[in-house]
Amino acid sequence: MSPDARGFKPLSTVLSRRCGSDPALQQLLEILADTCINVAERLQSSAFRRNTTIAGSQNSNGDLQKPLDLEADAIFETHLALLPNVAALVSEERDDVHWLKEPSAGDFIVCFDPLDGSSNIDVGMVVGSIFSVFRLEEDHQPYDLLSVLSGQNQIAAGYALYGPVTELVLGMGDWIDGYCYDPASGTFYRTHPDMTIATDAKEVAINAAREALWPSPIAQFIRDCFTPKLSGGRGANMRWTASMVADVHRILLRGGVFIYPEDREQNARLRLVYEANPIAFLMRSAGARATNGRDDILSLPVNDLHQKVGVVLGACDAVTYIQTQYEKA
Ligand code: F6P
């Protein structure tokens, strides 16, 4: 496909160069892009089908599932099952690994949160999907899946944002590109090649309602952020949409830091495998850092498919500063 009139390259053209000698991965990423278009379309028609309320079930994290959580999950499965080399799926909405075939070397495993921030659906705010891709290697046998799913083994990751425009951010570890969906042509076009995060922490995304539970390095950093520059602080602004993809995307484009820490009672909110790891993988390519406060997210061992983790990610200087405060605490 050739560039459109504005000079933006279509996803398939970009991926054929980005994936080079890996047509199987290119095909998988294109299927994931189609999946996100399908989820976006389902969201757009949801109000008329009255299915934004609670489905009555809970996922393994204890979150109440909405019909759209389950529908988005089914859309991922339907699309991914079309490919003969996707061996298994790991979804926020499923307790266990969903095997599609007998695994063999070269097969893909795809982990995803089909509808991130779904509490925002009823009120028409931005939600998203997050996914990451692993490839089974000979030396992974006998396929101890938890060790395969270590953040460092991701070969690609992405997220979609369902807002005023359907956006897609994709990366393979050494690049990260942003795309916007053009409904007229049914195509994602690359609008943000080689994204890099701004170095200055201008904005902070944190759920301030949990302040009483913040560990002291976070409490101190946030106090400093919200102290005006005139008084010696960072003079930062706060934004919180309660949808990780939206908050992270804003931080990626404008600079800043996203924080959902493990609290003083050692509770965390976000999931390592299909939320924190893919986002950390993407952010690293954009020149950002992602830690749980102390350690790099991507280095953390995976002990459970639905394990939760504290997240501090964004501009390197802020993330490293917070890490130093944790080390001193
Ligand atoms: O995955 C859960 C999630 O919806 C994230 O997208 C978001 O960042 C967070 O939870 C919101 O948490 P809270 O309800 O505490 O604001």
Side-chain angles (χ1 to χ4, degrees):
M1 226 184 266
S2 52
D4 87 339
R6 295 153 294 189
F8 298 126
K9 289 194 175 127
L11 177 75
S12 56
T13 306
V14 177
L15 284 185
S16 63
R17 191 171 61 82
R18 290 298 203 190
C19 297
S21 53
D22 200 343
L25 182 57
Q26 178 181 345
Q27 192 184 24
L28 174 56
L29 294 178
E30 289 189 31
I31 282 279
L32 283 162
D34 287 347
T35 306
C36 295
I37 293 169
N38 207 192
V39 172
E41 287 166 352
R42 193 67 65 93
L43 287 170
Q44 279 156 10
S45 63
S46 64
F48 304 104
R49 292 180 291 117
R50 298 184 185 282
N51 65 350
T52 61
T53 52
I54 305 292
S57 48
Q58 288 188 348
N59 63 24
S60 51
N61 299 303
D63 298 333
L64 288 172
Q65 291 171 312
K66 300 193 167 192
L68 279 170
D69 286 317
L70 302 175
E71 288 183 31
D73 181 72
I75 291 172
F76 268 79
E77 180 185 346
T78 307
H79 281 77
L80 292 169
L82 294 173
L83 297 181
N85 48 7
V86 176
L89 314 176
V90 172
S91 165
E92 177 179 24
E93 305 308 335
R94 296 166 193 247
D95 292 348
D96 298 316
V97 179
H98 181 77
W99 289 99
L100 294 168
K101 69 184 283 276
E102 194 63 38
S104 56
D107 283 349
F108 296 114
I109 308 287
V110 183
C111 302
F112 51 90
D113 178 352
L115 205 52
D116 179 57
S118 57
S119 67
N120 276 335
I121 290 175
D122 304 350
V123 289
M125 285 175 64
V126 174
V127 292
S129 300
I130 310 174
F131 53 83
S132 71
V133 177
F134 298 81
R135 194 183 337 243
L136 291 173
E137 307 288 354
E138 271 320 329
D139 57 5
H140 286 152
Q141 270 177 329
Y143 304 130
D144 162 17
L145 211 57
L146 289 182
S147 68
V148 171
L149 297 182
S150 150
Q152 282 156 343
N153 290 338
Q154 293 174 103
I155 60 165
Y159 63 82
L161 216 58
Y162 311 117
V165 176
T166 296
E167 299 196 38
L168 181 69
V169 173
L170 276 183
M172 279 171 53
D174 51 359
W175 57 267
I176 169 173
D177 288 335
Y179 300 82
C180 287
Y181 180 63
D182 172 22
S185 59
T187 307
F188 275 110
Y189 285 96
R190 185 173 65 173
T191 48
H192 297 75
D194 295 311
M195 300 170 88
T196 47
I197 187 168
T199 48
D200 197 18
K202 297 185 195 72
E203 288 186 350
V204 179
I206 190 164
N207 180 354
R210 304 185 63 81
E211 180 176 359
L213 293 170
W214 288 342
S216 59
I218 299 296
Q220 177 263 318
F221 174 75
I222 295 296
R223 246 192 330 270
D224 194 23
C225 282
F226 298 156
T227 302
K229 279 203 167 142
L230 275 175
S231 311
R234 292 173 182 251
N237 200 2
M238 194 194 87
R239 290 283 182 267
W240 185 248
T241 60
S243 178
M244 187 192 193
V245 270
D247 286 317
V248 164
H249 192 63
R250 193 180 48 244
I251 295 292
L252 180 56
L253 294 181
R254 289 195 195 156
V257 55
F258 169 95
I259 306 176
Y260 209 125
E262 186 175 280
D263 66 25
R264 285 215 227 123
E265 294 164 345
Q266 262 84 57
N267 293 317
R269 173 84 162 96
L270 301 174
R271 275 48 68 112
L272 176 62
V273 172
Y274 40 79
E275 290 183 315
N277 266 343
I279 298 287
F281 177 84
L282 291 164
M283 293 300 265
R284 190 180 57 180
S285 312
R289 286 195 66 200
T291 70
N292 61 356
R294 290 191 169 79
D295 301 307
D296 278 348
I297 298 269
L298 297 175
S299 70
L300 299 175
V302 176
N303 305 315
D304 186 285
L305 288 182
H306 301 286
Q307 160 181 351
K308 295 184 176 181
V309 66
V311 173
V312 177
L313 66 81
C316 282
D317 59 343
V319 177
T320 305
Y321 173 80
I322 293 170
Q323 190 174 29
T324 315
Q325 298 308 306
Y326 267 95
E327 280 157 12
K328 285 190 197 153

